[in-house]
Amino acid sequence: MSNSTKYIFVTGGVTSSLGKGIISASLAKLLQARGYSATIQKLDPYINIDPGTLNPYEHGECYVTDDGAETDLDLGHYERFLNVPTSQANSVTTGKIYQAVIDKERRGEYLGKTVQVIPHITDEIKDRIQILGKKGEFDIVITEIGGTVGDIESLPYVEAVRQMKWEFENDCLVIHLTLIPYLAAAGELKTKPTQHSVKQLLEFGVQPDILCCRTEHHLDLTIRKKIANFCNVGINAVIESIDAETIYDVPLLMQAEGLDKVVLEKLNLSSKDVPNLDSWNSFLHTLKNPKSEITIGLVGKYVELKDSYKSISEAFIHAGVSNECRVNVKWIHSEKLTKANIQEELGELDGILVAPGFGSRGISGKIEAVRYARENNIPFLGICLGMQCAVIEFARNVLHMEDAHTMEIAEDSKFPVITMMEEQKTIANLGGTMRLGAYKCELKPNSNTAIAYNTDLISERHRHRYEFNNEYLKQFEEAGMVAAGKNPETNLIEVVEIPTHPWFVGVQFHPEYKSTVDNPHPLFVGFVNAAKEYKQK
Ligand code: GLN
């Protein structure tokens, strides 16, 4: 079968958390730097339709695409590395696969047939993989299979990979990411877990073409030969993936190991252009040689698990580089923040960010943090729930609306300054029913937000059910908190600012999802710049 799109699968063995997402994104970056268009897709073996209903403690941040898919945080890495938006098609789960197959069964599309894992589930998986290829936009589709080979739930995916390897022959290859542990007592790197993991793949009929070996120590020639020999791959297909100082080093480390070269060889693709990584290199150089340093407090309720705020912390890295400044993030647990310790916790900060979130836990700490930022003229960015907290704080402490609240937490509040969106009122299901994805927003000329974006019309991604209650807008504006951004069609307030404060911005949308290495997000750049100025004073 001939096909113009090439398919690369990335599987994982031995253990989870080896960094398949970063390896996939790094490879895509290298291929992109050689002039190929590449996209990355994540197949997640869990039964949830999407991670939207998963607690961030379980699965880290839920990342949102322009077209409103709630996805795994790896999609964020893909966008940050490639600077190309992903979409619904880039994120597939077992839940989605089964839902589609069961819907087809009900519609009678398999009439007369017994519906089975093979071929119906595997066919659906293969279709989902090829949706991106068939679009004709991409030379190469990299598909990352979540989980670890051998898990019961990932079996249908591995089987789909096996079938595609046969059907697509030279247009398809498998990269297996494994671990080479170092045994300190023996003073040795051990290859056995990798051998076993490759054996397991072989049992399912898949011979990996390339092995990416995650390790804490360099792999010498002897060990590379041993891995090649036991796992049936050429020595140039044994790629060392050593622990890196930052994730942004990984494309260069992979280039030094020749990952892109061996991939192109195996796919019969010419090495087109010499890879151009100039802008990436200069980003890294600035990242590692900052001229100044600031500390921003991130106030949230999931701070024990930093993956819950992945896009925010990465956006700070990008914005820091733009400002030639290292941004240290101080993680502050909103549940532990009180009037009594606020000075001690927030006193040394150059900027305060109140994070997105759901539910009442930690809300009073978030509101206190807003108050501290507002009263002390500390640069402030509130995102989604963080913006809503800014509105609540202003209502309570400036407009003296006692117990003003969001209807999410206090349905019977006398001052529901944050209220449920009209379209949300009739929705019964919780999954995939928020206001999701990109919406336009018109900015107030000369507001801090418009200055940061350097334009008056923007598009940003959303994930929420509640909104600013426009009935109170006049009172807020008269007292000094203004609507600096509105949806031009619905009039929903998307941005609030306090013009008398040096830099106080609350946004209903999530700017962090759109920050990339090539395009640091203007609002984060503006916030970091304001924090730098604050520190200088
Ligand atoms: N819980 C709030 C809402 O649904 C904020 C959501 C968020 O921060 N992503 O409106």
Side-chain angles (χ1 to χ4, degrees):
M1 193 168 178
S2 91
N3 180 61
S4 52
T5 305
K6 307 282 186 179
Y7 292 95
I8 301 175
F9 295 99
V10 179
T11 57
V14 183
T15 156
S16 58
S17 304
L18 292 180
K20 279 189 301 243
I22 299 297
I23 292 292
S24 303
S26 299
L27 172 60
K29 184 77 221 171
L30 293 176
L31 297 170
Q32 187 190 55
R34 285 184 182 270
Y36 289 101
S37 60
T39 189
I40 317 172
Q41 175 187 45
K42 175 97 190 256
L43 306 185
D44 268 310
Y46 51 72
I47 297 174
N48 302 63
I49 299 288
D50 57 48
T53 53
L54 280 171
N55 184 326
Y57 286 123
E58 293 268 331
H59 209 75
E61 160 189 286
C62 173
Y63 184 79
V64 179
T65 61
D66 274 332
D67 64 352
E70 295 179 278
T71 76
D72 186 84
L73 58 78
D74 274 334
L75 269 82
H77 291 311
Y78 308 162
E79 288 202 14
R80 287 187 280 273
F81 275 52
L82 294 182
N83 199 32
V84 175
T86 54
S87 67
Q88 298 272 0
N90 294 74
S91 172
V92 175
T93 67
T94 295
K96 280 192 183 140
I97 299 284
Y98 271 79
Q99 194 177 48
V101 169
I102 291 168
D103 286 348
K104 281 185 194 163
E105 189 275 335
R106 291 289 84 184
R107 286 199 300 269
E109 286 182 30
Y110 307 114
L111 225 48
K113 293 266 186 310
T114 309
V115 181
Q116 295 181 296
V117 172
I118 303 170
H120 302 104
I121 294 296
T122 45
D123 280 353
E124 184 67 34
I125 295 173
K126 289 192 311 186
D127 285 350
R128 297 287 179 127
I129 293 166
Q130 290 168 73
I131 284 177
L132 286 165
K134 286 180 180 156
K135 271 184 156 181
E137 281 170 35
F138 304 108
D139 304 317
I140 298 164
V141 176
I142 301 178
T143 299
E144 178 192 345
I145 316 274
T148 307
V149 167
D151 295 348
I152 290 178
E153 51 186 21
S154 61
L155 282 178
Y157 294 98
V158 177
E159 169 60 14
V161 171
R162 186 193 69 78
Q163 293 180 19
M164 279 191 68
K165 271 203 98 179
W166 274 101
E167 287 165 32
F168 289 85
E169 292 174 71
N170 297 331
D171 290 330
C172 182
L173 69 78
V174 175
I175 300 175
H176 189 53
L177 181 57
T178 73
L179 177 69
I180 308 288
Y182 179 77
L183 285 194
E188 263 182 339
L189 285 165
K190 291 293 183 188
T191 66
K192 197 73 92 188
T194 293
Q195 295 178 40
H196 279 298
S197 162
V198 170
K199 268 213 181 102
Q200 197 154 26
L201 256 184
L202 284 168
E203 270 174 40
F204 302 131
V206 176
Q207 165 66 52
D209 300 281
I210 297 170
L211 292 176
C212 250
C213 304
R214 183 72 189 266
T215 173
E216 291 170 10
H217 298 270
H218 287 294
L219 306 180
D220 63 18
L221 193 60
T222 322
I223 205 151
R224 286 176 195 250
K225 276 188 181 153
K226 192 170 169 189
I227 297 167
N229 195 19
F230 278 110
C231 301
N232 332 308
V233 297
I235 188 132
N236 65 340
V238 177
I239 303 292
E240 169 190 286
S241 167
I242 198 150
D243 290 357
E245 199 183 317
T246 91
I247 56 171
Y248 300 105
D249 281 310
V250 180
L252 301 174
L253 293 173
M254 289 302 108
Q255 188 186 27
E257 282 288 301
L259 175 63
D260 52 333
K261 261 184 146 162
V262 62
V263 162
L264 293 176
E265 260 165 46
K266 287 189 187 284
L267 291 174
N268 293 322
L269 289 172
S270 72
S271 317
K272 263 196 178 175
D273 307 324
V274 183
N276 181 350
L277 288 164
D278 293 351
S279 68
W280 195 273
N281 277 313
S282 89
F283 171 86
L284 260 181
H285 179 80
T286 315
L287 177 64
K288 293 183 178 180
N289 302 283
K291 296 202 174 120
S292 59
E293 191 169 352
I294 55 165
T295 302
I296 302 233
L298 189 157
V299 182
K301 69 170 172 177
Y302 299 115
V303 293
E304 309 89 327
L305 188 69
K306 303 197 167 41
D307 270 2
S308 308
Y309 302 110
K310 195 78 204 164
S311 293
I312 295 178
S313 50
E314 297 305 316
F316 276 131
I317 292 177
H318 310 153
V321 168
S322 280
N323 280 286
E324 299 186 303
C325 163
R326 183 195 307 282
V327 181
N328 302 311
V329 175
K330 179 177 176 191
W331 302 83
I332 298 159
H333 203 306
S334 51
E335 254 186 319
K336 296 183 184 144
L337 209 52
T338 61
K339 271 200 177 78
N341 66 8
I342 198 131
Q343 175 64 32
E344 186 190 328
E345 286 290 324
L346 309 185
E348 300 288 300
L349 299 173
D350 308 310
I352 295 173
L353 182 143
V354 176
F358 293 83
S360 61
R361 188 164 69 88
I363 196 88
S364 62
K366 288 185 174 179
I367 294 170
E368 277 311 316
V370 177
R371 179 179 193 155
Y372 190 84
R374 183 179 58 77
E375 290 182 344
N376 294 288
N377 283 329
I378 303 168
F380 169 83
L381 179 59
I383 300 180
C384 208
L385 182 63
M387 172 265 203
Q388 298 174 353
C389 287
V391 169
I392 297 166
E393 190 280 324
F394 195 84
R396 289 185 186 177
N397 300 323
V398 178
L399 290 166
H400 306 294
M401 297 175 175
E402 209 186 316
D403 294 329
H405 224 316
T406 161
M407 301 248 317
E408 178 179 6
I409 295 168
E411 255 183 273
D412 52 357
S413 167
K414 226 169 91 194
F415 302 104
V417 289
I418 302 293
T419 180
M420 185 172 256
M421 276 181 282
E422 217 31 64
E423 76 250 28
Q424 290 289 325
K425 290 185 180 154
T426 50
I427 292 173
N429 287 350
L430 286 187
T433 56
M434 283 186 260
R435 180 174 181 236
L436 290 167
Y439 288 90
K440 287 209 170 72
C441 171
E442 241 167 38
L443 300 177
K444 193 181 168 106
N446 296 320
S447 57
N448 272 330
T449 310
I451 293 168
Y453 279 94
N454 197 23
T455 173
D456 293 346
L457 186 67
I458 57 167
S459 166
E460 290 286 357
R461 301 178 192 173
H462 295 248
R463 182 171 186 251
H464 64 122
R465 290 195 177 85
Y466 296 85
E467 59 160 327
F468 183 89
N469 188 343
N470 269 322
E471 281 177 26
Y472 294 98
L473 182 59
K474 202 163 162 267
Q475 272 170 282
F476 271 78
E477 295 212 313
E478 281 167 8
M481 177 176 269
V482 303
K486 279 186 196 171
N487 179 298
E489 276 126 45
T490 57
N491 254 345
L492 290 181
I493 306 297
E494 312 283 32
V495 185
V496 295
E497 286 192 17
I498 299 178
T500 53
H501 184 290
W503 211 93
F504 187 104
V505 176
V507 289
Q508 186 55 76
F509 48 76
H510 291 263
E512 70 274 22
Y513 294 145
K514 280 179 64 169
S515 188
T516 71
V517 167
D518 285 341
N519 250 331
H521 196 284
L523 209 50
F524 277 87
V525 174
F527 181 39
V528 168
N529 182 50
K532 251 171 79 177
E533 281 175 5
Y534 175 83
K535 185 176 181 179
Q536 274 158 17
K537 276 185 203 148

